[in-house]
Amino acid sequence: MNLMTIELRLLRGFAALARTGNFVEAAQQMHVTQSALSQQMKELAERLGLTLFERHGRRSILTEAGRDLVQRIVPLIEQLDETLLQSSSAVKGVSGCLRVGATQTYLRAIALPAALALIDQHPNLRVDMRQLPAQRLLADVLDGEIDVALFPDTGPHNNLVQTPLLTERLVAIGTPAILAKLGRVVHLKSLEAYPIAVLNQQFLMRQNIDRQLRYDKAELDVRLEVSSIDDVVVAAAHGHLIGIGTQLACHGHPLLKFKPLEGKFLSRSAGLYWRRGRVLTGALLAFQAAVIRISAELSGRR
C-alpha cells in the first residue's frame, strides 16, 4: 500500500475530528457532509491499517494510535497552513486564527488587551478567546483544543513550553474602613475574626489558601464561596466581607483597597503555555510578545 497517496484532505478531516470529537462539528468545519467525512475517516484508517477512533455515544474518542497520529501530523498541517498564509500576496503581517485560553483575571488584565492590540495591528488575524479554569486550560493545551494559554504555574510539564510572565501575592481585599482594622503585616491568622469571601475549592488559589491555613494552624470564617474572582471582588465591595484574591482582580476598583498576605503558599506565578513541538506561527509569536509587554507594564505598576 502506497501511503504517499493519502490526500491532505483526509489528514485535515482527521485533525478536525480529533479536535472536536464530533462528526457533525468536524464536517461543518471541513465544509463537507457528515457522511463524506465518515467515509474519509474510513478510508484513512484502511490506508494506515489503524483504528483511529472509538465511538462513545455521540462522540468519537481517539485511540492510542489516533493520539500518536495527532501529535505527528497536526504540527505539520499547522506549518503548512502558516507557510501558505505567509506566501500569499494577499496577506500582509500576522494572519490566521489563534485559539487563546486564560483564567478569568489573566484574561481580563493581560490576554484580552494583548488580543485587542494585535487585532488592531493585523486585520487578517482572528482570535478565538476562552475563559476556563487552570486545570481545564492545561488539558486543552495538551490536547490541542487551544493553541496557547495563560494561567497560574501548576508545576513542570514535559510536554509544555512555558514563558514566565509575572509573580503576584494573594491579597486581602476590602473597603478602606475594614482594611484599616488590619495590621501592617497580614497573615491568614490575622483574618480569623472577620467574615471572608473566597473562591470555592475547585480553584488552585483556594487550594493554596487551604494549604496555608493548615500550615499556619488557622481557620477562617468563610461566609461566602463563589466560582468567580469577580464575585469575590463584588462581595468585598459590599462592605461587610474581606475577600481573598489578587491585586490584579481588584485593580482600578474605586471602592476597594488591598493588603498583601504573608505566607509560604500565598503567591502565584503566571505563565504563557503552548504544547511542545507545535509550530510557532506568526500569530502565536506576536501574541507572546504582546503578553510579555503587558505583563511587564503591570509588574511595574505594583
Side-chain angles (χ1 to χ4, degrees):
M1 182 178 295
N2 184 5
L3 296 182
M4 296 299 292
T5 63
I6 294 178
E7 298 178 24
L8 182 58
R9 65 184 177 86
L10 300 183
L11 298 178
R12 287 190 183 279
F14 168 72
L17 183 56
R19 185 169 56 249
T20 63
N22 183 281
F23 270 91
V24 174
E25 293 179 32
Q28 290 173 346
Q29 290 183 14
M30 295 301 298
H31 305 290
V32 298
T33 64
Q34 182 178 345
S35 60
L37 180 62
S38 179
Q39 183 59 39
Q40 289 175 10
M41 293 305 95
K42 181 180 179 181
E43 179 183 348
L44 179 62
E46 289 176 350
R47 288 181 179 235
L48 293 174
L50 297 171
T51 300
L52 301 175
F53 293 95
E54 295 176 345
R55 294 302 296 267
H56 290 267
R58 296 184 178 181
R59 299 197 63 79
S60 296
I61 307 299
L62 285 166
T63 63
E64 184 175 351
R67 288 192 295 270
D68 181 66
L69 186 60
V70 166
Q71 295 295 325
R72 292 172 182 272
I73 71 162
V74 168
L76 298 177
I77 292 175
E78 290 172 346
Q79 186 172 17
L80 175 61
D81 289 343
E82 178 73 2
T83 300
L84 292 173
L85 281 169
Q86 295 305 323
S87 298
S88 172
S89 59
V91 174
K92 304 298 181 182
V94 174
S95 56
C97 178
L98 184 67
R99 299 169 299 165
V100 176
T103 54
Q104 184 181 39
T105 300
Y106 293 148
L107 186 145
R108 184 179 63 247
I110 302 175
L112 184 56
L116 291 173
L118 291 184
I119 289 171
D120 287 342
Q121 297 169 17
H122 305 287
N124 294 303
L125 175 66
R126 184 172 70 86
V127 179
D128 175 2
M129 186 159 286
R130 309 171 193 182
Q131 177 185 302
L132 296 166
Q135 295 293 352
R136 174 67 184 279
L137 290 169
L138 173 62
D140 282 0
V141 171
L142 290 172
D143 291 344
E145 292 290 331
I146 53 180
D147 300 314
V148 62
L150 202 168
F151 55 86
D153 185 5
T154 59
H157 299 281
N158 293 333
N159 294 325
L160 291 181
V161 176
Q162 178 193 26
T163 300
L165 296 176
L166 55 81
T167 298
E168 55 181 348
R169 294 208 64 78
L170 300 192
V171 297
I173 305 169
T175 61
I178 196 168
L179 286 195
K181 301 175 183 179
L182 301 178
R184 185 173 180 180
V185 178
V186 184
H187 298 81
L188 289 182
K189 204 165 185 64
S190 310
L191 304 179
E192 286 185 317
Y194 300 91
I196 299 296
V198 70
L199 289 170
N200 63 44
Q201 293 177 345
Q202 70 173 311
F203 289 88
L204 290 174
M205 182 190 298
R206 173 61 183 277
Q207 293 166 22
N208 285 337
I209 292 169
D210 289 345
R211 188 178 181 189
Q212 187 67 50
L213 286 169
R214 292 191 295 271
Y215 185 84
D216 292 344
K217 295 181 172 57
E219 185 175 352
L220 295 177
D221 179 16
V222 176
R223 303 289 294 279
L224 182 65
E225 292 183 280
V226 294
S227 59
S228 160
I229 193 66
D230 280 351
D231 291 339
V232 171
V233 173
V234 170
H238 189 66
H240 301 296
L241 302 174
I242 291 179
I244 299 178
T246 66
Q247 181 179 341
L248 282 179
C250 58
H251 179 73
H253 198 292
L255 301 179
L256 294 175
K257 297 291 184 181
F258 57 86
K259 287 190 175 183
L261 289 167
E262 298 296 323
K264 181 178 181 180
F265 307 112
L266 299 183
S267 65
R268 66 177 189 172
S269 298
L272 188 68
Y273 298 85
W274 60 85
R275 191 180 62 212
R276 189 176 301 279
R278 71 156 292 115
V279 175
L280 299 183
T281 64
L284 193 155
L285 292 174
F287 182 76
Q288 178 192 33
V291 163
I292 291 173
R293 173 182 56 78
I294 292 170
S295 298
E297 291 173 356
L298 291 172
S299 295
R301 294 176 192 170
R302 296 205 301 272

